[in-house]
Amino acid sequence: MEYRPELIGGHLALDLVNTVAWRLDVRRRIDRIADPVGLRRWLTATGLDPAGEDPGDLRRTLVRCRETAYAVLRPLTAGDEPRAADLAVLREVAEDAVRNATLVSARPLTWRAGTVAGQVRLAVWRFFEDEDLHRLRQCADNDCGWLFLDRSKNGSRRWCSSADCGNRARARRHYQRHSGAPA
Ligand SMILES: [Zn+2]
């Protein structure tokens, strides 16, 4: 089926993480930006214009940023601390981001990058500085693995998309109730 990016993360860094579908199920896991068409679709959906950038280099940068972000964020969703090795890679992403960006304002500190690779590095690094990570959640589906910021008033959002993972869970509960299987 054709890849149609769903930007439900609430931040570019999370929408990047969510370019992997079924992350927690190794048999079904799909990297949506592994091929040039998927990569182009995601960039278009996010409004990023990679004019003149080498798609292979760009993809490698995006995957590095994505896997670094996920490795650090996943433990946070469970109330755990990230591994030192993963924080070390995040530091490298931040260093690359600064090295390739221009400081355009001091108050507040504002960086600008001239390439998509640079913009994504900045977005991933700054995500950890700017966002209230108490709102960070992982979809409650066992296999999905998507991350999002829960901006609901009472902090009750459980699913990446209730039309998708939420509905599957409801259907499963319904089936279990009516088949006598243990919930
Ligand atoms: Zn989900």
Side-chain angles (χ1 to χ4, degrees):
M1 209 168 59
E2 180 173 289
Y3 173 43
R4 279 184 294 152
E6 294 173 84
L7 307 180
I8 58 87
H11 190 284
L12 180 62
L14 300 180
D15 289 328
L16 177 63
V17 166
N18 296 344
T19 59
V20 174
W22 309 119
R23 185 185 278 276
L24 305 180
D25 180 352
V26 287
R27 289 161 309 157
R28 278 196 293 172
R29 187 183 299 158
I30 308 169
D31 181 347
R32 299 292 197 178
I33 57 170
D35 64 279
V37 175
L39 176 60
R40 205 161 46 236
R41 287 216 169 103
W42 186 77
L43 290 168
T44 303
T46 51
L48 294 167
D49 178 10
E53 284 173 76
D54 178 79
D57 289 346
L58 177 55
R59 194 192 110 71
R60 273 187 290 281
T61 298
L62 295 185
V63 168
R64 182 163 192 258
C65 287
R66 180 183 73 192
E67 297 312 310
T68 304
Y70 184 76
V72 175
L73 291 170
R74 172 94 200 269
L76 297 182
T77 64
D80 297 326
E81 286 304 309
R83 301 184 319 149
D86 294 322
L87 286 174
V89 184
L90 179 62
R91 183 201 161 115
E92 288 173 16
V93 168
E95 286 171 349
D96 287 345
V98 169
R99 199 176 306 118
N100 293 289
T102 312
L103 192 53
V104 292
S105 156
R107 194 170 56 186
L109 203 61
T110 307
W111 302 88
R112 186 174 300 149
T115 63
V116 169
Q119 288 165 37
V120 170
R121 282 195 201 99
L122 277 176
V124 166
W125 161 45
R126 298 301 300 235
F127 176 67
F128 288 89
E129 292 206 328
D130 293 349
E131 289 297 332
D132 177 6
L133 293 180
H134 287 100
R135 294 178 181 279
L136 180 72
R137 307 270 185 278
Q138 183 156 46
C139 177
D141 185 89
N142 286 337
D143 301 332
C144 173
W146 277 17
L147 302 181
F148 56 87
L149 291 170
D150 178 4
R151 298 196 196 276
S152 67
K153 262 203 194 90
N154 53 1
S156 61
R157 182 174 163 193
R158 296 183 62 209
W159 313 103
C160 62
S161 139
S162 51
D164 199 343
C165 286
N167 272 349
R168 262 200 317 281
R170 263 189 296 281
R172 203 160 42 236
R173 277 198 303 274
H174 180 86
Y175 172 78
Q176 282 163 348
R177 259 198 316 274
H178 294 272
S179 67

